[in-house]
């Protein structure tokens, strides 16, 4: 169970990293908190969060980044009451045309998305994300795309107990992932909407958009 201070700092760290794609320093968190905590105090919290597996330190002298567990905390705890986010609500006018919705998601969130039997939209945008400078991430996304048609039914089956899932990196039960997250929702029995991108995706806007799509026939 995280203490309130740890929860607040973890939320700030996840939001900052999603926005900037840069490891987050204690100094940057201190600026967000407007001096209510010193960088030294924040580093102590960073140490606790690292020990508990919520964040990692990719470089010895650098800042911290969220782990899969950190993103899961953000999705399940922070966004639990923010299903229909402002970003998602701005897109609701496009729900009558799924292609327009997918194109807007690609531009705003830099992700791939696919509806039903259609092929994914957003190739150009998602590959602009800085994660794709890494060969392993490119390979993982390429393999996801290669298997997309074959795995569609497996994702649909994974929604039998819950019509909405967020699979963050290695959590994915359908295929082996590390750096890619997949958000998937089902409407009715067979309508399915995928969104895929780096684990550092805009969960708030994407989850809200898919949730709204699920509620609109």
């Amino acid at each position: 169970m995280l203490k309130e201070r740890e929860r607040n700092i973890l939320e700030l760290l996840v939001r900052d990293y999603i926005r900037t794609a840069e490891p987050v320093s204690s100094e940057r968190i201190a600026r967000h908190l407007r001096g209510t905590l010193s960088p030294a105090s924040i580093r102590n919290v960073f140490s606790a969060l690292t020990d508990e597996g919520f964040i990692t330190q990719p470089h010895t002298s650098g800042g911290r980044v969220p782990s899969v567990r950190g993103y899961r905390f953000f999705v399940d705890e922070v966004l639990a009451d923010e299903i229909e986010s402002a970003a998602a609500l701005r897109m609701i006018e496009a729900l009558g045309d799924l292609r327009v919705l997918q194109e807007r998601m690609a531009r705003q969130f830099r992700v791939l998305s696919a509806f039903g039997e259609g092929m994914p939209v957003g190739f150009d945008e998602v590959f602009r994300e800085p994660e794709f400078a890494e060969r392993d991430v490119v390979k993982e996304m390429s393999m996801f795309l290669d298997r997309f048609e074959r795995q569609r039914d497996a994702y649909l089956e994974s929604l039998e107990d819950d019509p909405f899932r967020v699979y963050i990196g290695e959590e994915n039960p359908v295929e082996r992932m590390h750096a890619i997250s997949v958000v998937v929702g089902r409407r009715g029995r067979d309508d399915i909407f995928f969104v895929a991108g780096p684990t550092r995706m805009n969960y708030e806007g994407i989850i809200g958009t898919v949730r709204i799509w699920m509620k609109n026939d």
Side-chain angles (χ1 to χ4, degrees):
M1 180 72 69
L2 292 180
K3 299 174 183 176
E4 183 177 359
R5 177 179 292 186
E6 293 172 335
R7 291 172 61 92
N8 291 341
I9 288 176
L10 179 56
E11 178 184 350
L12 287 171
L13 185 146
V14 174
R15 289 187 182 279
D16 194 289
Y17 184 66
I18 287 173
R19 182 177 58 84
T20 66
E22 297 178 355
V24 183
S25 67
S26 57
E27 288 77 14
R28 203 147 83 216
I29 295 294
R31 287 196 293 272
H32 283 305
L33 294 173
R34 301 186 179 185
T36 57
L37 280 179
S38 69
S41 296
I42 294 167
R43 284 193 290 274
N44 289 336
V45 176
F46 277 5
S47 293
L49 291 172
T50 301
D51 290 343
E52 294 178 66
F54 289 98
I55 62 177
T56 64
Q57 187 174 14
H59 306 291
T60 303
S61 60
R64 274 25 177 225
V65 303
S67 65
V68 169
R69 189 179 186 191
Y71 285 125
R72 175 53 60 192
F73 165 84
F74 184 71
V75 168
D76 289 350
E77 302 293 333
V78 177
L79 300 183
D81 297 323
E82 300 180 16
I83 292 173
E84 295 181 5
S85 67
L89 291 171
R90 286 196 296 270
M91 290 189 176
I92 196 168
E93 64 193 58
L95 284 169
D97 186 332
L98 281 166
R99 181 77 181 193
V100 173
L101 175 61
Q102 289 177 266
E103 290 172 352
R104 288 191 179 189
M105 291 183 71
R107 289 195 301 271
Q108 184 163 342
F109 302 137
R110 290 192 176 180
V111 291
L112 289 170
S113 65
F115 167 73
E117 298 297 320
M119 288 303 292
V121 172
F123 293 94
D124 291 344
E125 288 81 0
V126 73
F127 282 105
R128 291 177 190 165
E129 290 288 63
E131 286 87 345
F132 291 98
E134 299 290 333
R135 172 182 275 184
D136 288 347
V137 182
V138 174
K139 181 178 179 181
E140 191 166 296
M141 179 62 87
S142 298
M143 291 177 67
F144 171 77
L145 294 171
D146 287 343
R147 296 187 295 252
F148 180 74
E149 292 293 336
R150 299 192 299 275
Q151 299 285 29
R152 194 191 309 267
D153 288 344
Y155 277 106
L156 192 57
E157 289 175 10
S158 79
L159 300 175
E160 284 295 321
D161 297 328
D162 186 342
F164 177 78
R165 299 280 189 178
V166 180
Y167 297 128
I168 303 170
E170 62 197 30
E171 295 178 346
N172 195 317
V174 176
E175 51 192 322
R176 187 180 182 87
M177 293 288 193
H178 175 69
I180 304 297
S181 287
V182 180
V183 178
V184 58
R186 189 192 75 231
R187 189 171 63 184
R189 292 299 305 168
D190 300 314
D191 282 352
I192 189 167
F193 202 155
F194 293 85
V195 181
T199 53
R200 186 194 55 84
M201 64 164 58
N202 187 328
Y203 293 99
E204 185 171 7
I206 292 164
I207 289 171
T209 301
V210 175
R211 289 279 201 183
I212 291 172
W213 169 81
M214 291 171 63
K215 295 198 306 185
N216 285 265
D217 295 326

